[in-house]
């Protein structure tokens, strides 16, 4: 089979993937395969997860309640995943959906919602956001899905900050260095933090800057919307210091 002939449908599954083994498909996946793509048993699919890589599989059972596919052969072995975290103040529905979708495409390993003083949004629908992350991972040829964490307050985030990880705070005010300069100097595990539409409170910036793992970074002379800032910071970081410097896009 040439690579051109590989099935377009690509699904993330939790189940282990191994030759001849059946992988269970969820009710939502079955609904998508039946109702949207109108697939029937026998068609080829690609299944993936970060532990077993990507596999060519054949749809075996499909019903309203779920289904299964039989894994045939491995197309891609597991590979190291990007280690960039994105911490972001939740913003309104469309914008937060964008942050999760684009964050997934740009290789964020962890998506951490953070409540700050001027965060307007009170609630984060993690189920909806997880579904967006899975769909984006399926589309962009990732082998993993970012770890979307439960929201935390800024103080709790800082109190539990892991040793050895630099936190680049996107700061639209105060003494911030251009993110490209920080990219040339910072190495090792990194996270980005983007504030809400109302920005960070001055006291929050003061607190942030008291921590030795924090570096304030700027994204240019214009004030970006929070979703734009998240995308810009991730893109710049990945291309200058992250996995954008490595291998070319995976194409099937
Ligand atoms: N209300 C604020 C703007 C907040 S923009 C004001 O009018 O001043 C939302 C978030 O995007 C900010 O908290 C910051 O994290 C990020 N951001 C926007 N533009 C930025 C820039 N030029 N440099 C760094 N961060 C920026």
């Amino acid at each position: 089979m040439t690579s051109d002939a590989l099935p377009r449908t690509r699904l993330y599954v939790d189940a282990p993937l191994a030759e001849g083994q059946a992988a269970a498909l969820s009710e939502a996946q079955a609904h998508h395969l039946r109702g949207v793509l109108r697939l029937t048993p026998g068609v080829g699919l690609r299944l993936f997860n970060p532990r077993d890589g990507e596999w060519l599989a054949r749809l075996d059972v499909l019903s309203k309640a779920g289904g299964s596919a039989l894994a045939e052969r491995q197309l891609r072995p597991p590979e190291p995943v990007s280690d960039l975290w994105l911490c972001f103040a939740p913003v309104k529905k469309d914008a937060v959906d964008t942050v999760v979708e684009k964050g997934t495409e740009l290789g964020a390993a962890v998506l951490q919602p953070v409540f700050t003083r001027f965060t307007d949004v009170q609630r984060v629908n993690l189920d909806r956001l997880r579904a967006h992350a899975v769909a984006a991972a399926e589309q962009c040829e990732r082998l993993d899905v970012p770890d979307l964490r439960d929201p935390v307050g800024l103080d709790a985030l800082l109190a539990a900050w892991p040793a050895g990880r630099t936190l680049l705070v996107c700061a639209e005010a105060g003494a911030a260095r251009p993110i490209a300069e920080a990219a040339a100097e910072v190495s090792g595990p990194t996270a980005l933090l983007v504030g809400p539409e109302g920005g960070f409170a001055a006291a929050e910036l003061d607190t942030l800057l008291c921590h030795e793992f924090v570096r304030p970074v700027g994204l240019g002379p214009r004030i970006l919307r929070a979703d734009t800032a998240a995308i810009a910071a991730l893109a710049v970081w990945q291309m200058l210091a992250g996995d954008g410097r490595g291998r070319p896009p995976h194409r099937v």
Side-chain angles (χ1 to χ4, degrees):
M1 180 184 278
T2 68
S3 62
D4 290 345
L6 289 177
R8 290 180 67 89
T9 308
R10 188 172 183 270
L11 296 179
Y12 174 79
V13 288
D14 274 335
L17 296 168
E19 198 180 320
Q21 266 195 33
L25 304 175
S26 69
E27 188 179 338
Q29 286 173 326
H31 174 79
H32 184 69
L33 296 176
R34 268 164 57 104
V36 181
L37 301 179
R38 311 222 169 266
L39 299 184
T40 49
V43 301
L45 304 170
R46 287 183 286 150
L47 304 180
F48 68 97
N49 68 39
R51 296 178 311 277
D52 306 309
E54 181 170 294
W55 286 71
L56 180 65
R58 206 144 295 279
L59 189 56
D60 190 29
V61 177
L62 193 58
S63 76
K64 269 202 169 129
S68 66
L70 292 174
E72 291 184 344
R73 72 178 166 90
Q74 193 181 50
L75 299 169
R76 276 169 75 186
E79 56 198 41
V81 296
S82 153
D83 180 38
L84 178 60
W85 293 12
L86 175 65
C87 306
F88 61 99
V91 279
K92 62 182 168 26
K93 187 167 178 277
D94 289 353
V96 79
D97 289 353
T98 301
V99 169
V100 167
E101 182 182 296
K102 306 307 172 201
T104 304
E105 289 175 45
L106 289 164
V110 166
L111 296 171
Q112 173 67 71
V114 183
F115 286 114
T116 65
R117 171 114 176 260
F118 297 142
T119 302
D120 287 332
V121 172
Q122 311 296 328
R123 223 188 124 256
V124 180
N125 184 336
L126 287 177
D127 287 341
R128 192 190 77 232
L129 294 183
R130 278 208 180 91
H132 281 302
V134 170
E138 289 172 347
Q139 177 272 325
C140 77
E141 309 278 344
R142 264 177 91 143
L143 287 178
D144 65 321
V145 173
D147 178 12
L148 176 63
R149 301 210 171 149
D150 288 335
V152 291
L154 184 58
D155 288 344
L157 180 82
L158 296 176
W161 195 253
R165 185 173 292 273
T166 303
L167 178 58
L168 301 168
V169 177
C170 296
E172 74 280 17
R177 300 183 56 210
I179 191 170
E181 283 182 20
E185 281 165 23
V186 173
S187 59
T190 308
L192 296 161
L193 173 63
V194 175
E197 291 303 347
F200 292 109
E204 287 176 327
L205 279 176
D206 290 345
T207 305
L208 280 161
L209 296 179
C210 287
H211 292 85
E212 44 76 31
F213 52 83
V214 166
R215 303 259 190 296
V217 294
L219 298 170
R222 289 164 294 277
I223 303 291
L224 308 177
R225 303 291 294 255
D227 49 342
T228 315
I231 295 167
L234 282 167
V236 167
W237 192 263
Q238 288 292 50
M239 301 319 138
L240 297 182
D243 67 6
R245 295 167 306 159
R247 56 199 155 76
H250 179 85
R251 284 253 45 100
V252 290

